Amino acid sequence: MPPERFRSLHAQGMIRLCAATPRASAGDVAANVASILEQAREASAQGADLVLYPELCISSYAIDDLHLQDAMLDAVEGGIAQLVEASAAVQPALVVGAPIRRAGRLYNCAVVIARGRLLGVVPKSFLPNYREYYEKRWFASGVGLAGLDVELAGGRVPFGTDLLFAATGIADFVFHVEICEDYWAPLPPSVFGALAGALVLLNLSASNIVIGKARQRELLSASQSARCIAAYAYSAAGPGESTTDLAWDGQAMVHEMGELLAESTRFGDAPELLYADIDLQRLRLERMRNGTFNDSAVAAGHPEQRFRRVLFEHAASFADVGLRRDIRRFPFVPNDSLRLDADCYEAFNIQVEGLARRFQSTSGKHLVIGVSGGLDSTHALIVVAKVCDRLGLPRSAILGFTMPGFATGDATKGNAWALMEALGITGAEIDIRPAARQMLADMDHPFGRGEPVYDITFENVQAGLRTDYLFRLANQRGGFVVGTGDLSELALGWCTYGVGDQMSHYAANCGVPKTLIQYLIRWCVQTGQFNAETDRILTAILDTEISPELVPADASGALQSTESKIGPYPLNDFFLHYIVRHGLPPSKVAWLAWHAWKDASAGAWPADYPEAKRVEYGLPTIRHWLENFLFRFFQISQFKRSAIPNGPKVSAGGSLSPRGDWRAPSDGTAQPWLDELSAVLPIDA
């Protein structure tokens, strides 16, 4: 990608999809065509690449036997010709609904038009003929129709249910079309379209509204997009359709891999255009990872061999047209409070269940844990406390040790002791400074001679001693060492290998990123998992700056800051999610992060996120910390992940266990990722 295209969504593997709800009528073709064109021009001005309209929108849906009148059908064909001619002046491909005559039959069809060309016609497969529906009275089914064509609007074009439409000029822009009832069927045609290679699935619908039906439609759209690893767009008829016996709500929505990207206003009086930017690259990469999807294509007899690809020119401008898509600042933390509560409940109980089962399988009598007063050990400790509650063990079975070193602050040490006492565990303190001083002296380290040298050896002597003590204490007292390190630290290699915080008997936090750990602790407070005193201490710990507390404060009194060294955890967790879970190139991750973080006042924040921490990051800052992340993740940290202890996967975002989601060579290089970032986003860009 040339650097000058960096800000373009098209260069980032995306397209802008628009689901239209035009002003309908009870059979006024001219008015319908005018409404369709008006919306097409508006969508074009907004940078849309594809506009989806409702079922039979040219003729109107609820006109019953009027569909069998040649005067009506002649008017429809004239309207299609008008749309084809006018489409030469608009950017997006148009997918409109119309009744089409062919070989003495009438079909309920989707007509696909782009840049002055009629590309093809797709007939509806499944015709509802129950309750309020009588479609078989008027239309023939398209099931089994393949390899055909039809004379329409002055030309002969492909006709059948075997059509995919593929754009030239934008990679992965391939779509399939089905109509209303098709996706209510047990085996929707879009399944085969997706298996044949379509990444965008479209549904033109009329679908009258009754109580509860909108929820059913959303369920079907969401599930189809998830099952097919695709985007699924749905547009239903709205105001203006005949209400002789039915009513219409104009529901439109766009889902991507099960997630709702956008939804329309229902029961609105005005026409509406619903925009959503679809990440085609993400969808393609997800299919590459999903062997079941590819096995399904084999089991279905390789549908791509049966589909025809209709190519059309789509010369995207690659201009910066913004982004019509919500990008969560915290991919691991939902913005919606109800979903956040549900996710925290699941995450916390996954950790408790994993640790409880592992502890039961050992002969240990005690759970041994280091308690620093920081976020990770705090969260691990409250998980351990719940394990004891679940197993019917007294919390005194937990042996908590706070081990102050050369830079341990009074506040964190005080919080550690207060938390252990509030939870009722067996607490103890071991001052590691004498042992550390002796070890440094034995090594002839400058600090052992009284010099203020605080290098990596100085830090790791302390980190290693803490872990060494915990394992020997576990040996001595029939214990089981619970690890406290989190997913974010594993990604960055921010842990001491071997005899250090990288090692434990069971890594309870290894599947939980730092940004989610903060919310899990808040959730425990908000849902009353512990007593009021415990809640007070947990809240105080949440307000403490993240620090390893291994190096003494400087002359100004400033403590060692983790995030000043490795970068803000919110950005690192953002990078982790999109690179590990989705495999996106670094430049795109930077682009997404920029859209998510460039304006603190825009978009949603997770519930109860502190106002003081609602910061924003510019592109240079994002690029700097992304480069740091790439180097740490791909080049210098994998050997630590290759040897991590067992621990539960918690988030669908993935884990870094070599026995789970992530396998990589310990002696790999970050160069391809660094090169891609530099080529697209130079340092001085």
Side-chain angles (χ1 to χ4, degrees):
M1 180 203 313
E4 62 272 12
R5 290 187 174 183
F6 171 77
R7 296 174 189 262
S8 164
L9 67 87
H10 295 111
Q12 299 293 351
M14 291 188 175
I15 61 161
R16 178 159 296 166
L17 190 152
C18 174
T21 307
R23 165 71 58 183
S25 74
D28 187 339
V29 172
N32 291 341
V33 169
S35 183
I36 290 167
L37 278 175
E38 182 180 0
Q39 288 193 306
R41 293 178 180 122
E42 183 179 344
S44 183
Q46 294 297 317
D49 299 290
L50 178 62
V51 184
L52 170 68
Y53 291 90
E55 180 180 14
L56 295 173
C57 59
I58 294 181
S59 62
S60 304
Y61 178 84
I63 58 173
D64 300 336
D65 288 355
L66 300 186
H67 279 123
L68 298 177
Q69 296 285 316
D70 261 358
M72 169 63 68
L73 299 176
D74 288 345
V76 166
E77 290 196 14
I80 291 172
Q82 184 182 349
L83 286 174
V84 171
E85 181 179 3
S87 71
V90 298
Q91 172 176 294
L94 311 178
V95 182
V96 298
I100 300 296
R101 294 170 288 194
R102 186 187 182 281
R105 300 180 182 88
L106 184 66
Y107 296 91
N108 180 343
C109 294
V111 178
V112 183
I113 301 167
R115 298 293 179 96
R117 285 181 58 207
L118 179 56
L119 301 180
V121 177
V122 180
K124 187 174 183 176
S125 292
F126 299 105
L127 303 174
N129 219 62
Y130 52 86
R131 294 192 291 273
E132 64 263 46
Y133 296 109
Y134 296 91
E135 284 196 31
K136 289 183 180 179
R137 179 181 175 99
W138 312 299
F139 301 114
S141 168
V143 171
L145 298 183
L148 303 175
D149 52 32
V150 64
E151 191 75 31
L152 184 63
R156 183 162 291 275
V157 297
F159 177 93
T161 58
D162 60 338
L163 301 182
L164 297 183
F165 300 90
T168 61
I170 297 182
D172 305 319
F173 185 8
V174 183
F175 63 89
H176 173 273
V177 183
E178 62 188 4
I179 303 171
C180 199
E181 185 76 7
D182 288 349
Y183 93 141
W184 293 79
L187 192 58
S190 56
V191 169
F192 300 102
L195 293 174
L199 291 166
V200 179
L201 311 176
L202 306 177
N203 188 311
L204 303 85
S205 179
S207 189
N208 65 295
I209 186 62
V210 295
I211 294 170
K213 195 173 186 180
R215 291 191 297 272
Q216 288 181 292
R217 296 177 191 143
E218 183 166 356
L219 176 64
L220 289 170
S221 294
S223 63
Q224 194 67 350
S225 73
R227 182 180 295 110
C228 293
I229 311 179
Y232 198 94
Y234 177 93
S235 179
E241 284 283 355
S242 171
T243 57
T244 301
D245 290 302
L246 305 171
W248 315 88
D249 65 332
Q251 184 176 23
M253 54 195 157
V254 181
H255 287 82
E256 183 179 297
M257 282 174 54
E259 181 179 358
L260 179 65
L261 297 186
E263 59 184 334
S264 68
T265 303
R266 297 172 56 222
F267 301 107
D269 291 329
E272 185 171 354
L273 292 173
L274 178 71
Y275 297 97
D277 292 343
I278 305 300
D279 195 338
L280 301 174
Q281 183 181 45
R282 173 194 181 215
L283 294 170
R284 173 175 52 79
L285 287 168
E286 186 64 19
R287 287 186 181 179
M288 285 171 55
R289 285 174 171 73
N290 192 306
T292 299
F293 183 89
N294 297 311
D295 289 345
S296 296
V298 175
H302 297 289
E304 64 182 304
Q305 297 177 352
R306 304 192 296 272
F307 272 80
R308 292 176 284 170
R309 284 204 174 204
V310 181
L311 302 180
F312 65 97
E313 292 287 337
H314 188 76
S317 67
F318 292 97
D320 179 6
V321 294
L323 184 65
R324 300 286 187 96
R325 180 187 179 99
D326 290 332
I327 305 295
R328 281 181 11 211
R329 294 177 173 90
F330 299 90
F332 297 100
V333 182
N335 293 329
D336 176 75
S337 58
L338 292 177
R339 186 179 163 194
L340 176 59
D341 179 76
D343 283 9
C344 287
Y345 167 82
E346 286 190 327
F348 189 72
N349 282 284
I350 287 168
Q351 291 182 271
V352 171
E353 174 63 26
L355 181 56
R357 176 69 185 90
R358 174 51 60 88
F359 185 65
Q360 284 179 306
S361 69
T362 72
S363 58
K365 300 176 183 177
H366 298 284
L367 294 117
V368 177
I369 183 170
V371 184
S372 69
L375 284 177
D376 291 348
S377 68
T378 293
H379 181 60
L381 178 55
I382 58 179
V383 168
V384 173
K386 280 295 179 182
V387 167
C388 286
D389 296 348
R390 179 173 295 185
L391 297 180
L393 297 173
R395 290 185 184 171
S396 58
I398 305 169
L399 306 182
F401 295 91
T402 185
M403 292 175 278
F406 296 114
T408 300
D410 291 338
T412 51
K413 179 181 168 182
N415 284 337
W417 264 113
L419 183 61
M420 291 191 289
E421 291 170 354
L423 288 170
I425 75 169
T426 303
E429 182 174 319
I430 297 175
D431 187 343
I432 66 167
R433 288 174 292 183
R437 190 174 283 109
Q438 182 63 51
M439 181 179 286
L440 290 164
D442 291 344
M443 295 170 60
D444 195 27
H445 187 276
F447 184 83
R449 301 192 299 270
E451 300 176 28
V453 176
Y454 308 126
D455 56 10
I456 189 67
T457 303
F458 176 82
E459 294 188 31
N460 281 350
V461 161
Q462 296 172 80
L465 276 171
R466 286 174 174 141
T467 303
D468 200 359
Y469 270 119
L470 292 175
F471 273 100
R472 302 299 74 81
L473 288 161
N475 295 153
Q476 181 189 43
R477 305 183 190 189
F480 175 93
V481 179
V482 178
T484 62
D486 63 47
L487 182 69
S488 307
E489 292 178 343
L490 282 170
L492 294 158
W494 193 248
C495 52
T496 302
Y497 181 73
V499 184
D501 53 339
Q502 179 259 357
M503 188 49 60
S504 63
H505 285 125
Y506 195 75
N509 284 347
C510 70
V512 186
K514 187 80 76 178
T515 48
L516 181 57
I517 277 184
Q518 298 177 52
Y519 269 90
L520 289 172
I521 296 173
R522 286 192 181 96
W523 176 82
C524 286
V525 173
Q526 292 167 350
T527 57
Q529 299 296 314
F530 302 98
N531 60 29
E533 177 61 11
T534 301
D535 291 347
R536 183 189 67 77
I537 300 159
L538 293 177
T539 301
I541 290 170
L542 285 169
D543 293 335
T544 304
E545 182 179 3
I546 300 169
S547 171
E549 293 194 324
L550 293 170
V551 174
D554 61 20
S556 69
L559 293 174
Q560 183 182 18
S561 169
T562 296
E563 291 182 299
S564 67
K565 177 74 172 179
I566 61 174
Y569 274 114
L571 285 183
N572 283 320
D573 282 355
F574 190 98
F575 304 153
L576 171 66
H577 176 79
Y578 283 101
I579 287 173
V580 174
R581 174 65 182 84
H582 298 297
L584 299 181
S587 62
K588 182 168 182 176
V589 175
W591 183 77
L592 291 170
W594 177 62
H595 276 285
W597 287 96
K598 65 181 179 180
D599 183 356
S601 65
W605 290 85
D608 301 322
Y609 195 79
E611 285 286 345
K613 293 185 178 181
R614 297 188 180 191
V615 298
E616 55 192 46
Y617 298 109
L619 196 55
T621 300
I622 290 168
R623 192 208 181 284
H624 168 76
W625 289 120
L626 176 56
E627 186 174 58
N628 181 75
F629 176 90
L630 296 172
F631 177 73
R632 296 191 68 93
F633 182 81
F634 286 106
Q635 189 145 326
I636 66 171
S637 303
Q638 181 58 38
F639 76 99
K640 297 180 181 181
R641 297 187 289 269
S642 294
I644 60 174
N646 297 163
K649 177 179 177 178
V650 173
S651 167
S655 75
L656 294 177
S657 168
R659 300 167 297 277
D661 283 2
W662 184 255
R663 294 164 179 81
S666 293
D667 49 5
T669 175
Q671 207 56 51
W673 291 267
L674 295 171
D675 288 347
E676 193 277 342
L677 181 63
S678 294
V680 178
L681 195 59
I683 293 176
D684 56 355

